[in-house]
């Protein structure tokens, strides 16, 4: 085995090009809030502009085929892009990177017709369109398949009714381009065979947007209501009543089995650095034996997260055999680590970790954001649902008929 | 042995609960939380009139002279409802400092006003070098004629934004023993050179920063003996810590109850989510945290009430504060795991509890601080 990553000369050249682009377009100062809910309308609009600029260069969805609007770049280039954009994001200087819409492609890629691919993929993969993933309903969270939204065919439209919650990530005063909205099209059909997925044009009459006030999220969230919304029938994704497969393909992308070479938890490293540099009663915070141990515990988990990313990457490259549960394992690890991190911050920093003040907020507000996120472990599915998926992938409890119902 | 509540305590518990149900539903807590001052003058007035504010203070000074165990019942109910207000700062911390260490004149002047809620006092102890040990006290007070001049910063001060007067823990002397040379000053909030701003953040109650820029305080405003202030804090801290534990026990109980109810009514996959073993595991965890905190606190209340030897009281109180802080925090987190999405939404009360848990966690010493005290007390 060799854990060292060697960059080719060509990669180093490409890195220069990427970083020149970044320097030309990034904010000079770190002004992007670590808490995405606090992003202003202006900043979001600029971020979307950057997404489209990247799209033009083929850097927004670099690995996707060129014919559908992706970059068609090989892995070597994708790695450099990921590294450089991760760097500038960590510096709080880059408001772009609204990639949700590129994960929406999963369903079209696997279930869409050739025509749909040609029509929608270029919009999504070039960063041109930005949409809300509208899966969750008030009464259908983990049990997404029990959704009550309906779509009834009427000539060349579907009439859509329903209520989706916790969706989107966009500041107030802006509208998305489309709503990725599954709805029941055959109320008589069995579970999972009764749903169709739509890309509803987001400005149709009958759509209401209500902003939600959450303690933390990956952006401003919304409740969206559809009341007799007449959605053109050519906005159906995949075949009618095959919508379940469409949404599952998206979730598989969201849970991210692909792996990554960029260490995810820079925030742990930032906190360690802060504790080394900040004095309490004349001594670095990190000199306290209790704090040292807590910091090392965080460091260990950050290392595990990083190594699992590398492991998954090696798997995706065929260097080592694939194990089915490893994508979920990473997502579960993140969800279980976040409360541990939040609590350690309270133990190490005291009430200072709660403060969100331009002067006193620690690490530009990264710390208080982490504390807020400690109780928000449900984005893209709760930890238990990850555990169910992981158990399934390991073949546990396969025979139980009840397990069959638990799908997401 | 008899672990039941007395008849009076039962009555106190029921009337308190009924009053808070009526006057302090969670929507009121949210309103106060959203407000600029983080304070409801109306609730404060009404609870003062009911005698809650003065309950701990002797009748001779306008209070009710209730026992610590009675107060435990009251504070537990306050915690259930998450009643906001300076119930720790004013009557417990500052009230007992004055009662234990003040001159007769100070007591006569201040205690009745504290007891009936007319005067609000707050304790300014912690500083940018955050901690509850005497070595964290740097704010200096130097003699100048018949006055002292205070210079320094106090940070994370609860209730200072609404206080009329502050008891400031200041250093009057540097010595090799950090507990020696600390003095308590009663400072008018309107004093020249004193400024106060609240620190925005994810806080369950307002935390303030106070800057003392050559604030002149008459020597007559010293409470207790000069240089001897640290020991004057011991008993007030003990009483307040144990009653804060009661408050947190009440809050844990509420979190457990609301989570059980939610697990029984929220249906996913055709069954109440309480039927899923992972959800059961979370709720069982909450019940365990609650019952740990409840009984450790109950015994500590009793030990303080019956005036057991000081070391025994200190050990019991530090056990209670460390366990209750952990329990409240964990019960909050476990509630979030069970409520998932709705728990994160400010349309539901849960976040008010979890935010409060994070704020009381460090107040008067976090679990690590109190475990360290226990370690010393049990001779480790
Ligand atoms: C910040 C944030 C962002 C979000 N973003 C989006 C978005 O962009 N688009 C979108 O569609 N949705 C989004 N969601 C919704 C999210 O996907 C749901 O919250 C999540 O799927 C859980 O659903 P729920 O909240 O209804 O909880 P429930 O499903 O009601 O779960 C409640 C509890 O029951 C447990 N449970 C449920 N079923 C089982 C089972 N079978 N076995 C064991 N335990 C079970 C859960 O684990 C949880 O502990 C977001 C949520 C949040 C908080």
């Amino acid at each position: 085995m060799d854990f060292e990553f060697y960059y080719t000369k060509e990669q180093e050249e490409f890195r220069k090009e990427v970083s020149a682009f970044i320097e030309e377009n990034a904010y000079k100062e770190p002004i992007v809030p670590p808490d995405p809910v606090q992003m202003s309308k202006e900043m979001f609009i600029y971020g979307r502009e950057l997404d489209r600029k990247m799209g033009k260069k083929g850097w927004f969805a670099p690995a996707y085929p060129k014919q559908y609007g992706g970059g068609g770049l090989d892995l070597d280039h994708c790695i450099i892009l990921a590294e450089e954009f991760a760097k500038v994001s960590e510096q709080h200087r880059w408001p772009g990177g609204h990639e949700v819409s590129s994960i929406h492609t999963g369903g079209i890629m696997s279930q869409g017709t050739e025509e749909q691919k040609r029509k929608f993929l270029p919009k999504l993969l070039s960063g041109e369109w930005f949409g809300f993933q509208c899966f969750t309903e008030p009464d259908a969270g983990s049990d997404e398949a029990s959704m009550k939204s309906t779509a009834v065919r009427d000539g060349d439209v579907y009439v859509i009714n329903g209520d989706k919650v916790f969706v989107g990530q966009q500041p107030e005063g802006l509208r998305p381009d489309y709503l990725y909205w599954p709805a029941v099209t055959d109320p008589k059909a069995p579970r999972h065979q009764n749903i169709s997925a739509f890309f509803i044009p987001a400005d149709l009459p009958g759509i209401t947007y209500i902003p939600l006030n959450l303690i933390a999220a990956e952006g401003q969230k919304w409740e969206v209501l559809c009341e007799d919304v007449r959605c053109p029938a050519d906005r159906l994704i995949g075949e009618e009543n095959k919508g379940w497969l469409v949404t599952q393909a998206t979730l598989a992308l969201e849970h991210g089995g692909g792996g990554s070479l960029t260490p995810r938890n820079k925030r742990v490293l930032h906190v360690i650095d802060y504790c080394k540099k900040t004095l309490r009663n004349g001594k670095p915070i990190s000199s306290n034996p209790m704090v040292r141990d807590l910091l090392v515990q965080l460091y260990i988990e950050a290392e595990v997260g990083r190594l699992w990313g590398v492991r998954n990457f090696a798997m995706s490259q065929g260097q080592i055999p694939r194990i089915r549960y490893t994508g979920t394992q990473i997502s579960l690890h993140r969800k279980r680590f976040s409360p541990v991190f939040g609590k350690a911050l309270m133990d190490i920093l005291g009430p200072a970790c709660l403060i969100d003040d331009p002067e006193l907020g620690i690490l530009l507000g990264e710390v208080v954001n982490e504390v807020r996120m400690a109780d928000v472990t449900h984005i893209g599915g709760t930890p238990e649902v990850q555990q169910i998926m992981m158990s399934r992938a390991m073949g546990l409890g396969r025979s139980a008929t009840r397990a069959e119902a638990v799908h997401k | 042995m008899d672990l039941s509540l007395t008849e009076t305590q039962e009555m106190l518990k029921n009337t308190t609960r009924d009053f808070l149900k009526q006057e302090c539903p969670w929507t009121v807590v949210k309103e106060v939380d959203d407000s600029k001052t983080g304070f409801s003058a109306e609730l404060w007035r009404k609870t003062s009139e009911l005698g809650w504010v003065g309950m701990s203070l002797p009748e001779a000074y306008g209070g009710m002279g209730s026992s610590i165990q009675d107060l435990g019942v009251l504070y537990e109910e306050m915690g259930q409802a998450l009643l906001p207000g300076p119930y720790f700062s004013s009557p417990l911390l500052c009230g007992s400092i004055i009662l234990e260490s003040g001159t007769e004149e100070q007591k006569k002047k201040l205690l009745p006003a504290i007891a009936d809620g007319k005067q609000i006092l707050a304790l300014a102890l912690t500083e940018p070098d955050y901690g509850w040990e005497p070595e964290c006290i740097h704010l200096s007070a130097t003699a100048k004629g018949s006055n002292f001049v205070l210079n320094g910063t106090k940070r994370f001060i609860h209730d200072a934004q609404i206080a009329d007067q502050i008891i400031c823990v200041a250093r009057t002397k540097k010595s090799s023993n950090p507990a020696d040379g600390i003095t308590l000053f009663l400072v008018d909030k309107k004093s020249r050179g004193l400024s106060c701003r609240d620190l925005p953040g994810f806080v369950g109650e307002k935390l303030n920063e106070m800057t003392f820029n050559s604030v002149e305080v008459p020597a007559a405003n010293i409470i207790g003996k000069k240089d001897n202030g640290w020991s004057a804090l011991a008993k007030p801290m003990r009483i307040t810590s144990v009653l804060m534990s009661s408050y947190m026990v009440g809050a844990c109980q509420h979190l457990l109850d609301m989570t059980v109810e939610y697990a029984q009514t929220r249906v996913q996959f055709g069954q109440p989510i309480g039927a899923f073993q992972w959800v059961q595991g979370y709720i069982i965890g909450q019940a365990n945290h609650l019952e740990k905190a409840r009984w450790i606190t109950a015994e500590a209340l009793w030990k303080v009430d019956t005036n057991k030897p000081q070391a025994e009281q200190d050990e019991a109180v530090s056990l209670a504060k460390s366990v209750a802080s952990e329990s409240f925090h964990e019960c909050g987190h476990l509630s979030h795991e069970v409520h998932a999405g709705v728990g994160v939404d400010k349309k539901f009360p849960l976040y008010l509890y979890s935010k409060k848990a994070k704020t009381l966690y460090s107040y008067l010493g976090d679990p690590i601080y109190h475990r360290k005290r226990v370690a010393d007390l049990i001779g480790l």
Side-chain angles (χ1 to χ4, degrees), chain A residues 133 135-136 141-142 166 221 379 382 384 388, chain B residues 266 268-269 276 337-338 340-341:
Chain A
Q133 180 168 313
F135 292 2
T136 305
S142 304
F166 303 120
K221 305 301 291 190
I379 304 175
T382 66
E384 297 63 57
I388 289 169
Chain B
R266 171 74 173 172
Q268 289 287 278
F269 302 101
F276 299 121
E337 294 284 16
V338 175

PDB file of all heavy atoms in Angstrom, chain A residues 133 135-136 141-142 166 221 379 382 384 388, chain B residues 266 268-269 276 337-338 340-341, ligand 1:
ATOM      1  N   GLN A 133     -35.057  20.196  -3.732  1.00  0.00           N
ATOM      2  CA  GLN A 133     -35.384  18.776  -3.634  1.00  0.00           C
ATOM      3  C   GLN A 133     -36.549  18.632  -2.672  1.00  0.00           C
ATOM      4  O   GLN A 133     -36.385  18.742  -1.457  1.00  0.00           O
ATOM      5  CB  GLN A 133     -34.151  18.024  -3.132  1.00  0.00           C
ATOM      6  CG  GLN A 133     -34.357  16.538  -2.978  1.00  0.00           C
ATOM      7  CD  GLN A 133     -33.032  15.839  -2.769  1.00  0.00           C
ATOM      8  OE1 GLN A 133     -32.063  16.093  -3.477  1.00  0.00           O
ATOM      9  NE2 GLN A 133     -32.964  14.958  -1.785  1.00  0.00           N
ATOM     10  N   PHE A 135     -38.820  16.321  -1.225  1.00  0.00           N
ATOM     11  CA  PHE A 135     -39.235  14.949  -0.915  1.00  0.00           C
ATOM     12  C   PHE A 135     -40.078  14.882   0.357  1.00  0.00           C
ATOM     13  O   PHE A 135     -41.081  14.194   0.416  1.00  0.00           O
ATOM     14  CB  PHE A 135     -38.016  14.040  -0.726  1.00  0.00           C
ATOM     15  CG  PHE A 135     -37.210  13.795  -1.994  1.00  0.00           C
ATOM     16  CD1 PHE A 135     -37.548  14.400  -3.201  1.00  0.00           C
ATOM     17  CD2 PHE A 135     -36.109  12.946  -1.966  1.00  0.00           C
ATOM     18  CE1 PHE A 135     -36.807  14.166  -4.360  1.00  0.00           C
ATOM     19  CE2 PHE A 135     -35.374  12.704  -3.126  1.00  0.00           C
ATOM     20  CZ  PHE A 135     -35.711  13.317  -4.311  1.00  0.00           C
ATOM     21  N   THR A 136     -39.638  15.603   1.388  1.00  0.00           N
ATOM     22  CA  THR A 136     -40.241  15.445   2.709  1.00  0.00           C
ATOM     23  C   THR A 136     -41.582  16.171   2.803  1.00  0.00           C
ATOM     24  O   THR A 136     -41.724  17.296   2.336  1.00  0.00           O
ATOM     25  CB  THR A 136     -39.294  15.990   3.794  1.00  0.00           C
ATOM     26  OG1 THR A 136     -38.041  15.332   3.656  1.00  0.00           O
ATOM     27  CG2 THR A 136     -39.830  15.760   5.184  1.00  0.00           C
ATOM     28  N   GLY A 141     -41.668  11.633   6.383  1.00  0.00           N
ATOM     29  CA  GLY A 141     -40.262  12.008   6.498  1.00  0.00           C
ATOM     30  C   GLY A 141     -39.402  10.823   6.127  1.00  0.00           C
ATOM     31  O   GLY A 141     -39.124  10.576   4.951  1.00  0.00           O
ATOM     32  N   SER A 142     -39.011  10.034   7.131  1.00  0.00           N
ATOM     33  CA  SER A 142     -38.264   8.806   6.854  1.00  0.00           C
ATOM     34  C   SER A 142     -39.080   7.912   5.928  1.00  0.00           C
ATOM     35  O   SER A 142     -38.554   7.255   5.043  1.00  0.00           O
ATOM     36  CB  SER A 142     -37.983   8.047   8.154  1.00  0.00           C
ATOM     37  OG  SER A 142     -37.317   8.869   9.070  1.00  0.00           O
ATOM     38  N   PHE A 166     -39.199  21.528   4.820  1.00  0.00           N
ATOM     39  CA  PHE A 166     -37.737  21.468   5.004  1.00  0.00           C
ATOM     40  C   PHE A 166     -36.997  21.428   3.676  1.00  0.00           C
ATOM     41  O   PHE A 166     -35.967  20.771   3.568  1.00  0.00           O
ATOM     42  CB  PHE A 166     -37.313  20.252   5.836  1.00  0.00           C
ATOM     43  CG  PHE A 166     -37.954  20.181   7.187  1.00  0.00           C
ATOM     44  CD1 PHE A 166     -38.746  19.105   7.549  1.00  0.00           C
ATOM     45  CD2 PHE A 166     -37.761  21.198   8.103  1.00  0.00           C
ATOM     46  CE1 PHE A 166     -39.332  19.037   8.796  1.00  0.00           C
ATOM     47  CE2 PHE A 166     -38.349  21.143   9.356  1.00  0.00           C
ATOM     48  CZ  PHE A 166     -39.131  20.059   9.703  1.00  0.00           C
ATOM     49  N   LYS A 221     -34.387  27.316   4.646  1.00  0.00           N
ATOM     50  CA  LYS A 221     -35.301  26.254   4.216  1.00  0.00           C
ATOM     51  C   LYS A 221     -36.716  26.791   4.048  1.00  0.00           C
ATOM     52  O   LYS A 221     -37.075  27.834   4.587  1.00  0.00           O
ATOM     53  CB  LYS A 221     -35.331  25.107   5.236  1.00  0.00           C
ATOM     54  CG  LYS A 221     -33.995  24.499   5.575  1.00  0.00           C
ATOM     55  CD  LYS A 221     -33.231  23.919   4.418  1.00  0.00           C
ATOM     56  CE  LYS A 221     -33.801  22.673   3.801  1.00  0.00           C
ATOM     57  NZ  LYS A 221     -32.822  22.079   2.837  1.00  0.00           N
ATOM     58  N   ILE A 379     -30.556  15.851   7.996  1.00  0.00           N
ATOM     59  CA  ILE A 379     -30.523  16.253   6.591  1.00  0.00           C
ATOM     60  C   ILE A 379     -30.199  15.021   5.745  1.00  0.00           C
ATOM     61  O   ILE A 379     -29.204  14.343   6.001  1.00  0.00           O
ATOM     62  CB  ILE A 379     -29.467  17.350   6.360  1.00  0.00           C
ATOM     63  CG1 ILE A 379     -29.747  18.533   7.290  1.00  0.00           C
ATOM     64  CG2 ILE A 379     -29.451  17.793   4.900  1.00  0.00           C
ATOM     65  CD1 ILE A 379     -28.713  19.636   7.242  1.00  0.00           C
ATOM     66  N   THR A 382     -32.351  10.428   8.757  1.00  0.00           N
ATOM     67  CA  THR A 382     -31.882  10.381  10.142  1.00  0.00           C
ATOM     68  C   THR A 382     -30.787   9.317  10.303  1.00  0.00           C
ATOM     69  O   THR A 382     -30.653   8.426   9.459  1.00  0.00           O
ATOM     70  CB  THR A 382     -33.044  10.032  11.101  1.00  0.00           C
ATOM     71  OG1 THR A 382     -33.469   8.691  10.817  1.00  0.00           O
ATOM     72  CG2 THR A 382     -34.216  10.978  10.929  1.00  0.00           C
ATOM     73  N   GLU A 384     -30.814   6.830  12.194  1.00  0.00           N
ATOM     74  CA  GLU A 384     -31.413   5.484  12.279  1.00  0.00           C
ATOM     75  C   GLU A 384     -31.663   4.933  10.889  1.00  0.00           C
ATOM     76  O   GLU A 384     -31.495   3.752  10.625  1.00  0.00           O
ATOM     77  CB  GLU A 384     -32.736   5.509  13.048  1.00  0.00           C
ATOM     78  CG  GLU A 384     -32.607   5.919  14.488  1.00  0.00           C
ATOM     79  CD  GLU A 384     -32.110   7.332  14.620  1.00  0.00           C
ATOM     80  OE1 GLU A 384     -32.754   8.239  14.071  1.00  0.00           O
ATOM     81  OE2 GLU A 384     -31.057   7.528  15.250  1.00  0.00           O
ATOM     82  N   ILE A 388     -30.374   1.586   9.272  1.00  0.00           N
ATOM     83  CA  ILE A 388     -31.206   0.583   8.604  1.00  0.00           C
ATOM     84  C   ILE A 388     -30.592   0.233   7.242  1.00  0.00           C
ATOM     85  O   ILE A 388     -30.466  -0.941   6.880  1.00  0.00           O
ATOM     86  CB  ILE A 388     -32.656   1.110   8.421  1.00  0.00           C
ATOM     87  CG1 ILE A 388     -33.349   1.171   9.785  1.00  0.00           C
ATOM     88  CG2 ILE A 388     -33.449   0.219   7.463  1.00  0.00           C
ATOM     89  CD1 ILE A 388     -34.671   1.912   9.773  1.00  0.00           C
TER      90      ILE A 388
ATOM     91  N   ARG B 266     -46.563  10.326  16.545  1.00  0.00           N
ATOM     92  CA  ARG B 266     -45.970  10.436  15.209  1.00  0.00           C
ATOM     93  C   ARG B 266     -45.947   9.052  14.548  1.00  0.00           C
ATOM     94  O   ARG B 266     -45.363   8.113  15.105  1.00  0.00           O
ATOM     95  CB  ARG B 266     -44.545  10.967  15.333  1.00  0.00           C
ATOM     96  CG  ARG B 266     -43.727  10.925  14.050  1.00  0.00           C
ATOM     97  CD  ARG B 266     -44.167  11.984  13.091  1.00  0.00           C
ATOM     98  NE  ARG B 266     -43.286  12.087  11.916  1.00  0.00           N
ATOM     99  CZ  ARG B 266     -43.576  12.857  10.879  1.00  0.00           C
ATOM    100  NH1 ARG B 266     -44.700  13.561  10.863  1.00  0.00           N
ATOM    101  NH2 ARG B 266     -42.755  12.935   9.862  1.00  0.00           N
ATOM    102  N   GLN B 268     -44.878   6.711  11.310  1.00  0.00           N
ATOM    103  CA  GLN B 268     -44.123   6.501  10.075  1.00  0.00           C
ATOM    104  C   GLN B 268     -44.142   4.996   9.804  1.00  0.00           C
ATOM    105  O   GLN B 268     -44.137   4.196  10.740  1.00  0.00           O
ATOM    106  CB  GLN B 268     -42.665   6.980  10.214  1.00  0.00           C
ATOM    107  CG  GLN B 268     -42.516   8.504  10.289  1.00  0.00           C
ATOM    108  CD  GLN B 268     -42.757   9.210   8.959  1.00  0.00           C
ATOM    109  OE1 GLN B 268     -41.909   9.297   8.103  1.00  0.00           O
ATOM    110  NE2 GLN B 268     -43.974   9.714   8.789  1.00  0.00           N
ATOM    111  N   PHE B 269     -44.139   4.612   8.577  1.00  0.00           N
ATOM    112  CA  PHE B 269     -44.208   3.201   8.198  1.00  0.00           C
ATOM    113  C   PHE B 269     -45.388   2.500   8.878  1.00  0.00           C
ATOM    114  O   PHE B 269     -45.282   1.368   9.352  1.00  0.00           O
ATOM    115  CB  PHE B 269     -42.900   2.469   8.539  1.00  0.00           C
ATOM    116  CG  PHE B 269     -41.703   3.077   7.869  1.00  0.00           C
ATOM    117  CD1 PHE B 269     -40.845   3.917   8.570  1.00  0.00           C
ATOM    118  CD2 PHE B 269     -41.442   2.843   6.530  1.00  0.00           C
ATOM    119  CE1 PHE B 269     -39.757   4.502   7.955  1.00  0.00           C
ATOM    120  CE2 PHE B 269     -40.344   3.415   5.904  1.00  0.00           C
ATOM    121  CZ  PHE B 269     -39.499   4.252   6.611  1.00  0.00           C
ATOM    122  N   PHE B 276     -40.267   1.655  17.168  1.00  0.00           N
ATOM    123  CA  PHE B 276     -38.937   1.323  16.649  1.00  0.00           C
ATOM    124  C   PHE B 276     -37.920   1.265  17.794  1.00  0.00           C
ATOM    125  O   PHE B 276     -37.865   2.154  18.637  1.00  0.00           O
ATOM    126  CB  PHE B 276     -38.477   2.362  15.618  1.00  0.00           C
ATOM    127  CG  PHE B 276     -39.377   2.441  14.419  1.00  0.00           C
ATOM    128  CD1 PHE B 276     -40.007   3.618  14.068  1.00  0.00           C
ATOM    129  CD2 PHE B 276     -39.593   1.314  13.630  1.00  0.00           C
ATOM    130  CE1 PHE B 276     -40.835   3.684  12.964  1.00  0.00           C
ATOM    131  CE2 PHE B 276     -40.429   1.377  12.524  1.00  0.00           C
ATOM    132  CZ  PHE B 276     -41.057   2.561  12.188  1.00  0.00           C
ATOM    133  N   GLU B 337     -33.062  13.834  18.431  1.00  0.00           N
ATOM    134  CA  GLU B 337     -32.945  12.619  17.617  1.00  0.00           C
ATOM    135  C   GLU B 337     -34.334  12.052  17.319  1.00  0.00           C
ATOM    136  O   GLU B 337     -34.595  11.583  16.223  1.00  0.00           O
ATOM    137  CB  GLU B 337     -32.090  11.559  18.325  1.00  0.00           C
ATOM    138  CG  GLU B 337     -30.618  11.950  18.499  1.00  0.00           C
ATOM    139  CD  GLU B 337     -29.785  11.832  17.215  1.00  0.00           C
ATOM    140  OE1 GLU B 337     -30.349  11.740  16.121  1.00  0.00           O
ATOM    141  OE2 GLU B 337     -28.538  11.833  17.344  1.00  0.00           O
ATOM    142  N   VAL B 338     -35.215  12.095  18.319  1.00  0.00           N
ATOM    143  CA  VAL B 338     -36.544  11.501  18.124  1.00  0.00           C
ATOM    144  C   VAL B 338     -37.451  12.420  17.290  1.00  0.00           C
ATOM    145  O   VAL B 338     -38.190  11.960  16.436  1.00  0.00           O
ATOM    146  CB  VAL B 338     -37.208  11.181  19.485  1.00  0.00           C
ATOM    147  CG1 VAL B 338     -38.642  10.681  19.285  1.00  0.00           C
ATOM    148  CG2 VAL B 338     -36.384  10.138  20.239  1.00  0.00           C
ATOM    149  N   ALA B 340     -36.515  14.621  15.110  1.00  0.00           N
ATOM    150  CA  ALA B 340     -35.924  14.867  13.786  1.00  0.00           C
ATOM    151  C   ALA B 340     -36.318  16.250  13.278  1.00  0.00           C
ATOM    152  O   ALA B 340     -36.190  17.227  14.010  1.00  0.00           O
ATOM    153  CB  ALA B 340     -36.277  13.749  12.811  1.00  0.00           C
ATOM    154  N   GLY B 341     -36.848  16.337  12.060  1.00  0.00           N
ATOM    155  CA  GLY B 341     -37.086  17.634  11.432  1.00  0.00           C
ATOM    156  C   GLY B 341     -37.845  18.645  12.278  1.00  0.00           C
ATOM    157  O   GLY B 341     -37.367  19.764  12.483  1.00  0.00           O
TER     158      GLY B 341
HETATM  159  C1  LIG C   1     -31.931  21.105   8.115  1.00  0.00           C
HETATM  160  C2  LIG C   1     -32.741  20.133   7.333  1.00  0.00           C
HETATM  161  C3  LIG C   1     -32.648  20.124   5.946  1.00  0.00           C
HETATM  162  C4  LIG C   1     -33.437  19.260   5.173  1.00  0.00           C
HETATM  163  N1  LIG C   1     -33.381  19.335   3.803  1.00  0.00           N
HETATM  164  C5  LIG C   1     -34.284  18.627   3.060  1.00  0.00           C
HETATM  165  C6  LIG C   1     -34.390  18.804   1.654  1.00  0.00           C
HETATM  166  O1  LIG C   1     -33.653  19.594   1.058  1.00  0.00           O
HETATM  167  N2  LIG C   1     -35.318  18.107   0.966  1.00  0.00           N
HETATM  168  C7  LIG C   1     -36.152  17.219   1.582  1.00  0.00           C
HETATM  169  O2  LIG C   1     -36.961  16.612   0.920  1.00  0.00           O
HETATM  170  N3  LIG C   1     -36.089  17.013   2.934  1.00  0.00           N
HETATM  171  C8  LIG C   1     -35.184  17.713   3.681  1.00  0.00           C
HETATM  172  N4  LIG C   1     -35.139  17.558   5.066  1.00  0.00           N
HETATM  173  C9  LIG C   1     -36.027  16.615   5.706  1.00  0.00           C
HETATM  174  C10 LIG C   1     -35.303  15.372   6.183  1.00  0.00           C
HETATM  175  O3  LIG C   1     -34.990  14.562   5.088  1.00  0.00           O
HETATM  176  C11 LIG C   1     -36.204  14.676   7.198  1.00  0.00           C
HETATM  177  O4  LIG C   1     -36.200  15.451   8.365  1.00  0.00           O
HETATM  178  C12 LIG C   1     -35.748  13.281   7.514  1.00  0.00           C
HETATM  179  O5  LIG C   1     -35.921  12.449   6.418  1.00  0.00           O
HETATM  180  C13 LIG C   1     -36.513  12.697   8.687  1.00  0.00           C
HETATM  181  O6  LIG C   1     -37.882  12.823   8.553  1.00  0.00           O
HETATM  182  P1  LIG C   1     -38.763  13.443   9.732  1.00  0.00           P
HETATM  183  O7  LIG C   1     -38.129  14.705  10.155  1.00  0.00           O
HETATM  184  O8  LIG C   1     -40.151  13.488   9.290  1.00  0.00           O
HETATM  185  O9  LIG C   1     -38.592  12.432  10.936  1.00  0.00           O
HETATM  186  P2  LIG C   1     -39.398  11.074  11.149  1.00  0.00           P
HETATM  187  O10 LIG C   1     -39.303  10.233   9.956  1.00  0.00           O
HETATM  188  O11 LIG C   1     -40.735  11.384  11.689  1.00  0.00           O
HETATM  189  O12 LIG C   1     -38.512  10.406  12.269  1.00  0.00           O
HETATM  190  C14 LIG C   1     -38.725  10.598  13.657  1.00  0.00           C
HETATM  191  C15 LIG C   1     -37.876   9.591  14.413  1.00  0.00           C
HETATM  192  O13 LIG C   1     -38.301   8.271  14.085  1.00  0.00           O
HETATM  193  C16 LIG C   1     -37.205   7.506  13.624  1.00  0.00           C
HETATM  194  N5  LIG C   1     -37.653   6.537  12.643  1.00  0.00           N
HETATM  195  C17 LIG C   1     -38.488   6.737  11.591  1.00  0.00           C
HETATM  196  N6  LIG C   1     -38.637   5.591  10.916  1.00  0.00           N
HETATM  197  C18 LIG C   1     -37.886   4.656  11.538  1.00  0.00           C
HETATM  198  C19 LIG C   1     -37.624   3.278  11.321  1.00  0.00           C
HETATM  199  N7  LIG C   1     -38.185   2.622  10.310  1.00  0.00           N
HETATM  200  N8  LIG C   1     -36.801   2.637  12.179  1.00  0.00           N
HETATM  201  C20 LIG C   1     -36.228   3.287  13.216  1.00  0.00           C
HETATM  202  N9  LIG C   1     -36.430   4.578  13.471  1.00  0.00           N
HETATM  203  C21 LIG C   1     -37.262   5.253  12.642  1.00  0.00           C
HETATM  204  C22 LIG C   1     -36.285   8.519  13.037  1.00  0.00           C
HETATM  205  O14 LIG C   1     -34.975   8.035  12.941  1.00  0.00           O
HETATM  206  C23 LIG C   1     -36.405   9.650  14.032  1.00  0.00           C
HETATM  207  O15 LIG C   1     -35.627   9.376  15.165  1.00  0.00           O
HETATM  208  C24 LIG C   1     -34.320  18.369   5.836  1.00  0.00           C
HETATM  209  C25 LIG C   1     -34.374  18.363   7.225  1.00  0.00           C
HETATM  210  C26 LIG C   1     -33.616  19.229   7.982  1.00  0.00           C
HETATM  211  C27 LIG C   1     -33.721  19.208   9.460  1.00  0.00           C
END
